Amino acid sequence: MDVPFLSLKDVTQQHAAEIHEAVNRVVDSGWYLQGKENSAFEAAYASYIGTRHAIGVANGLDALELIFRAYIEMDIMAPGDEVIVPANTYIASILAITANGLVPVLVEPSIETYQMDDSLIEAHITPRTKAIMIVHLYGQCAYTEHVEDLCRNHGLRLIEDNAQAHGCIFQGRRTGSLGEIAGHSFYPGKNLGAFGDAGAVTTSNQALAEMVRMLANYGSKKKYVFERLGRNSRLDEIQAAVLAVKLKYLDADIDLRRSVARSYLDRIDNNLITLPQVLDWKAHVFHIFPVRCARRDDLQKYLENKGIHTLIHYPVPPHKQECYKEWNSINLPITERIHSEVLSLPMSPVLTADQVEFVIKSVNSYG
Ligand SMILES: *Cc1c(COP(=O)(O)O)cnc(C)c1O
């Protein structure tokens, strides 16, 4: 049996007619940027997340970069200031910080949840610390009341990287509305994915929203008047139209992911393999279903030979990458252990019961 990690073709097929109609509507309209589709998607997404504003941008990295740029333009942050961030995040979270001349302060995750260990944060706060960026990695909420308290007590901004967790709910509120501002990615493989690159920023802070929107549009609010050194990071009308269709089905898709996760968690039983810990089912949208195994590469090969395609999120942590040579000698043992042991099983709303069954049986027979 062949079990793809994620069949985007099947994901699209679920709503193909509606998506084709949306794409054709844009093609026929003759209007391809900053039009009705953008406004409609932004309104729908802000209402879904529970913020006053959503700003469509070109991709998730831009969303995060624009957030820090906005704080700098508003004199809330300055180059050299520090941002606390989990050490085991995807590199985009870190790039957004360093691209703005800010300094990432890497904090180890918990080996149980893979989220930043909030008991370690306070020791990393210095007079230059301006923000904590939480990352809802793998689709599990990283927000805690302790992080909120730290931000309040130390006067720090709480920023969310919500690239992997659209739809995630913490005590009735969606991730992306828990901090002051959040970056979202609609990369095709994300839970809410476009047909190419796309992203968004959400916030209920009007001044920040206006600044991000202006910076993403050449630093301009009024045509040919440039107030700030901006850039071009806009969401295409075609992508906005596709995303508006897919947003309607996001919660149903997440439920399908949860039922796959439920089967994996209930029925994978192999003492060589550590299953992920779920703190609260509403607060996990299972973008990734990571298991850990000391012989990870061997397990991956074993599953591949059976036709089960897995991925590694991620094989090398940011501080061990060549682009961040200056940190290569830093010791972050939990982060490094996660990167050497973690393996992502097939996970999507379109896996069949037979495929899930086959993955469980195969993982159980490993060893
Ligand atoms: C995907 C991702 C991003 C970046 O999104 P792009 O749209 O690919 O630029 C940022 N942070 C995290 C945690 C991600 O997974």
Side-chain angles (χ1 to χ4, degrees):
M1 188 184 294
D2 191 63
V3 187
F5 179 75
L6 164 65
S7 168
L8 284 177
K9 193 170 169 178
D10 291 343
V11 168
T12 301
Q13 274 311 313
Q14 293 175 290
H15 311 293
E18 230 179 312
I19 289 171
H20 283 138
E21 193 196 307
V23 170
N24 287 337
R25 181 177 69 237
V26 178
V27 171
D28 293 342
S29 75
W31 193 279
Y32 306 121
L33 276 172
Q34 295 193 301
K36 288 198 285 248
E37 305 291 344
N38 252 267
S39 322
F41 173 68
E42 286 179 346
Y45 196 62
S47 142
Y48 177 83
I49 294 293
T51 50
R52 279 212 281 280
H53 309 277
I55 301 112
V57 298
N59 57 65
L61 174 60
D62 277 8
L64 296 170
E65 271 194 48
L66 284 160
I67 287 171
F68 290 109
R69 187 80 227 142
Y71 279 122
I72 291 172
E73 290 291 331
M74 292 165 80
D75 290 324
I76 293 167
M77 293 183 194
D81 285 344
E82 295 169 4
V83 178
I84 288 173
V85 62
N88 60 321
T89 185
Y90 180 57
I91 196 142
S93 325
I94 314 281
L95 285 172
I97 298 170
T98 56
N100 279 294
L102 299 163
V103 180
V105 175
L106 305 176
V107 174
E108 287 261 71
S110 138
I111 191 72
E112 255 97 52
T113 64
Y114 311 130
Q115 303 304 341
M116 180 158 57
D117 184 341
D118 64 7
S119 71
L120 302 177
I121 293 175
E122 192 153 29
H124 288 87
I125 297 175
T126 76
R128 291 228 74 163
T129 310
K130 286 290 158 59
I132 299 176
M133 179 154 73
I134 53 175
V135 181
H136 307 299
L137 197 71
Y138 304 145
Q140 176 145 257
C141 181
Y143 174 92
T144 64
E145 269 144 18
H146 183 54
V147 172
E148 177 85 52
D149 288 343
L150 288 172
C151 287
R152 194 174 319 109
N153 297 340
H154 294 271
L156 309 178
R157 311 280 159 161
L158 181 58
I159 300 168
E160 297 174 81
D161 179 342
N162 199 42
Q164 302 193 0
H166 333 91
C168 189
I169 296 176
F170 176 86
Q171 294 177 7
R173 291 188 295 152
R174 303 247 186 213
T175 57
S177 74
L178 301 171
E180 183 166 57
I181 191 163
H184 309 248
S185 164
F186 308 121
Y187 174 82
K190 299 282 157 81
N191 285 17
L192 177 58
F195 291 170
D197 280 314
V201 172
T202 56
T203 181
S204 289
N205 180 312
Q206 175 136 0
L208 270 170
E210 281 173 14
M211 183 59 80
V212 167
R213 189 178 290 287
M214 178 164 68
L215 291 172
N217 186 38
Y218 284 109
S220 167
K221 271 190 223 154
K222 208 170 138 206
K223 205 162 190 179
Y224 305 127
V225 179
F226 303 98
E227 291 177 41
R228 305 276 173 159
L229 293 174
R231 62 203 280 177
N232 175 355
S233 183
R234 299 181 293 226
L235 178 62
D236 298 342
E237 287 285 281
I238 283 191
Q239 302 298 355
V242 168
L243 288 166
V245 172
K246 294 183 78 175
L247 179 60
K248 294 192 290 177
Y249 303 104
L250 179 58
D251 284 340
D253 275 0
I254 291 168
D255 282 338
L256 293 168
R257 287 174 179 271
R258 287 196 182 115
S259 77
V260 173
R262 183 82 72 173
S263 301
Y264 284 165
L265 285 167
D266 285 350
R267 306 207 359 256
I268 291 179
D269 184 13
N270 181 331
N271 56 20
L272 297 173
I273 284 156
T274 307
L275 294 166
Q277 208 182 75
V278 179
L279 302 171
D280 166 359
W281 281 81
K282 283 208 163 103
H284 205 324
V285 294
F286 296 98
H287 174 57
I288 299 291
F289 190 94
V291 299
R292 267 192 305 121
C293 176
R295 289 184 283 149
R296 185 263 317 277
D297 294 347
D298 188 56
L299 171 64
Q300 185 174 38
K301 225 174 286 150
Y302 174 85
L303 294 173
E304 192 67 37
N305 285 336
K306 290 182 172 289
I308 297 170
H309 305 289
T310 59
L311 292 174
I312 298 169
H313 296 92
Y314 299 91
V316 180
H319 72 284
K320 293 292 182 194
Q321 298 287 351
E322 200 180 330
C323 64
Y324 289 128
K325 271 195 213 71
E326 63 275 32
W327 307 327
N328 285 178
S329 58
I330 299 179
N331 230 346
L332 293 162
I334 297 172
T335 297
E336 286 156 34
R337 179 165 172 210
I338 291 170
H339 285 74
S340 71
E341 295 187 349
V342 87
L343 186 70
S344 308
L345 298 185
M347 171 53 78
S348 74
V350 293
L351 284 174
T352 67
D354 285 350
Q355 288 175 320
V356 172
E357 191 65 40
F358 184 61
V359 172
I360 293 169
K361 222 177 83 201
S362 304
V363 172
N364 285 343
S365 68
Y366 172 73

